[in-house]
Amino acid sequence: MVLYKLEDFEPNYRDTLEGQDIKGLGVYTQGNDEKIGTVNDVLVDEEGHFRYLVVDLGFWIFGKKVLLPIGRARIDYNVDRVYTINLTREQAEDLPEFNERQTLDYDYEERVRGVYRKPTDYTLPVEAAAIDPLTPVDPLAPLHATPIYTPDSYTYENEPSLYGLNEQDNQTLKLYEERLIASKRRQKTGEVSIGKRVETDTARVSVPVERERVVIERVTPADAGTAASGRGADFREGEVTRIELHEETPDVRKEAFLREEVRVSKVVDQETVETQETVRREELDVNSGNLPIEER
């Protein structure tokens, strides 16, 4: 049988206890109201049933923590107290110390149960108790103070005086169920990086240009053959005229123009995602043998 700390088993256990927290409550002896310690933690089984209160006996025995079976405790939230049932200082001193680093095996629990057991708690012979606690037996058969169990046959239901919530101690048994509470959490799934890069290309442009050239044309004048006067005949050697020639060359420069705009935004797509989880529900299990019982 594996035991868990209450908060490890159910981190939100305060919600199932209607906001009340059993940890930190003072532990008192029933009758004389003597404070013996404080509830340090709660141990539950694999189905979430309370099995032990971890009690720090700082008021009785400094620095010692022990286990108190839930059947030997009465929780009174009206005064924020836990009352122990028939726990004496001598029993507390005999209880094995609880150590969180120690494995809680069957042998350790038997040492704890051995301190709390009373001969009046048992009325079955060893043979019947070891086989089935509900097996009818001969009322004249010899009684044994302590039944004999094995790790494989023992269940907490075998000893209701230690682990049962009984009516005489005015304890209310609450049945709980788990429900799925849907919520959402936002998490990063990735990122998109947007940048620019420069690409080069060879652009071509046609530019019409002009180029000057000299054209020499020889013609026969209309008065060819007419004698020229002395002044008109100008005989010279060397350069007689100069003509400048020009041509155009392409003059290309670059200028940046706006080509297009790129707009970046985010859109949210919605979809419905279905998920499933196993939930637990407590049902009342009444085992009365052949005794009549009335449920209201």
Side-chain angles (χ1 to χ4, degrees), residues 134 286-293:
L134 299 180
V286 180
N287 190 347
S288 62
N290 298 324
L291 299 177
I293 187 170

Side-chain angles (χ1 to χ4, degrees), residues 142-195:
L143 302 182
H144 296 263
T146 304
I148 297 177
Y149 299 102
T150 65
D152 295 331
S153 65
Y154 185 84
T155 64
Y156 293 113
E157 286 72 20
N158 292 142
E159 297 187 90
S161 63
L162 295 182
Y163 303 104
L165 299 176
N166 47 73
E167 186 175 320
Q168 66 182 11
D169 292 319
N170 301 318
Q171 298 197 27
T172 301
L173 177 61
K174 298 181 180 180
L175 302 179
Y176 298 96
E177 68 176 6
E178 294 178 328
R179 298 179 182 177
L180 294 183
I181 306 299
S183 61
K184 298 183 294 185
R185 58 186 176 90
R186 189 179 183 89
Q187 62 181 8
K188 180 179 178 181
T189 58
E191 62 183 7
V192 177
S193 176
I194 300 175

Side-chain angles (χ1 to χ4, degrees), residues 236 238-244:
R236 292 184 300 175
E239 183 180 308
V240 294
T241 186
R242 179 181 291 272
I243 300 175
E244 293 183 351

Side-chain angles (χ1 to χ4, degrees), residues 130-141:
I131 297 173
D132 184 356
L134 299 180
T135 301
V137 296
D138 183 358
L140 300 179

Side-chain angles (χ1 to χ4, degrees), residues 258-263:
L258 178 64
R259 180 168 64 91
E260 65 176 334
E261 290 183 348
V262 178
R263 298 177 180 176

Side-chain angles (χ1 to χ4, degrees), residues 34 45 47 51 149 161 193 200 209 237 257 266:
E34 179 186 2
D45 62 15
E47 297 181 354
R51 295 308 181 190
Y149 299 102
S161 63
S193 176
T200 60
V209 296
E237 291 184 353
F257 293 87
K266 296 192 298 182

Side-chain angles (χ1 to χ4, degrees), residues 241-294:
T241 186
R242 179 181 291 272
I243 300 175
E244 293 183 351
L245 300 177
H246 299 86
E247 69 175 11
E248 296 176 333
T249 58
D251 183 10
V252 180
R253 62 187 179 86
K254 295 184 290 184
E255 186 175 347
F257 293 87
L258 178 64
R259 180 168 64 91
E260 65 176 334
E261 290 183 348
V262 178
R263 298 177 180 176
V264 180
S265 62
K266 296 192 298 182
V267 296
V268 178
D269 296 327
Q270 291 186 342
E271 61 177 332
T272 301
V273 179
E274 291 188 359
T275 183
Q276 63 181 21
E277 185 60 64
T278 301
V279 296
R280 297 170 298 171
R281 182 177 63 252
E282 294 181 340
E283 296 289 350
L284 190 63
D285 188 7
V286 180
N287 190 347
S288 62
N290 298 324
L291 299 177
I293 187 170
E294 177 183 357

